[in-house]
Amino acid sequence: MTGFDAGPLDGRADVTDSFGDTVVDVAPEDWIELLTHVRDALGYAFFDWLTGVDEPPDTFQVVAHVYNPDTHRRLLLRTGVPRDDPRLPTAVGVYRGANWHERETYEMFGVIFEGHPHLVPLLLPDGFEGHPLRKDFVLAARVAKQWPGAKEPGESGHGAPSRRKTLPPGVPADWGSPDA
C-alpha cells in the first residue's frame, strides 16, 4: 500500500485499502505501538472513535478510526482479540479520547482494556448481565414474547379464523389479490 509508512511495524502490519481508506491490521501485542506510531510519526493526532466487532466463532475485532488534520487523511486501525480471553492494552495513554469508547466496548462486547483508568459500565442499568452487542447474546424480549407477525390469527390450527388479506396502503386495487 503506497502512502503508509509502517515504520517500526514494517513486516508486522498488514496494510490494505477498503473503499479508498487505508486499513492497518496488527496483532494485539503491537496495538499500542501502532497507535503511538501513527500519532507521533505520521501526524494522526485526532482520535475519532473505537469500537468492537463480533467475529464468531473465535474473535472480537477492536477497531479505531484516527485522522490527520494536516493531510485530511483517515486511517482505520484494527486488531483481533480471542473470544475466550478478550484482553487488550488500553489506548488511553496514547489518545485520551479512547477512554469513553473503551468503556463502551468493554460493556457491550466484554473486551477488557488492561490498564484503563476507570473501566466500569457506562450505558446499561446497574445489575445488567451480559454483553448485548455480542452475536450470541439472547434478547430477553424474544424469549418473553413471541415475535409479532410470526403467525396470523387462525394459522395455529386453533382459535379465531384467519383475517381477510388486504393490500398494503398505497398499492392500487387493480394489482390483484395479496394471496396471488
Side-chain angles (χ1 to χ4, degrees):
M1 167 72 37
T2 60
F4 181 79
D5 172 20
L9 293 164
D10 194 28
R12 293 183 289 155
D14 182 26
V15 183
T16 57
D17 182 77
S18 178
F19 300 102
D21 285 336
T22 302
V23 180
V24 184
D25 290 285
V26 295
E29 56 270 13
D30 295 326
W31 181 243
I32 298 303
E33 187 175 359
L34 172 64
L35 293 170
T36 304
H37 172 68
V38 300
R39 183 196 65 191
D40 296 346
L42 303 180
Y44 289 86
F46 181 79
F47 174 86
D48 192 9
W49 52 261
L50 178 143
T51 192
V53 178
D54 192 351
E55 297 282 347
D58 302 322
T59 309
F60 292 112
Q61 289 286 323
V62 175
V63 183
H65 187 259
V66 294
Y67 180 76
N68 184 326
D70 297 327
T71 63
H72 305 286
R73 296 194 48 99
R74 326 180 265 266
L75 280 178
L76 196 63
L77 311 173
R78 300 186 301 199
T79 190
V81 293
R83 189 177 190 83
D84 59 350
D85 188 25
R87 296 179 180 274
L88 192 64
T90 183
V92 172
V94 181
Y95 291 107
R96 288 178 54 194
N99 188 321
W100 189 94
H101 299 267
E102 287 182 350
R103 286 177 62 191
E104 180 185 40
T105 303
Y106 162 69
E107 186 171 32
M108 297 297 166
F109 292 96
V111 176
I112 298 165
F113 292 92
E114 295 178 327
H116 190 282
H118 192 61
L119 197 60
V120 297
L122 179 71
L123 302 169
L124 298 173
D126 290 340
F128 189 91
E129 293 184 21
H131 305 287
L133 291 184
R134 286 186 175 193
K135 291 182 179 174
D136 61 359
F137 184 78
V138 177
L139 297 173
R142 301 296 186 270
V143 175
K145 182 170 121 178
Q146 189 177 24
W147 181 249
K151 293 187 179 196
E152 291 291 328
E155 291 180 347
S156 63
H158 54 76
S162 180
R163 291 186 275 173
R164 181 175 54 93
K165 304 279 191 229
T166 59
L167 292 171
V171 175
D174 62 347
W175 276 26
S177 166
D179 295 332

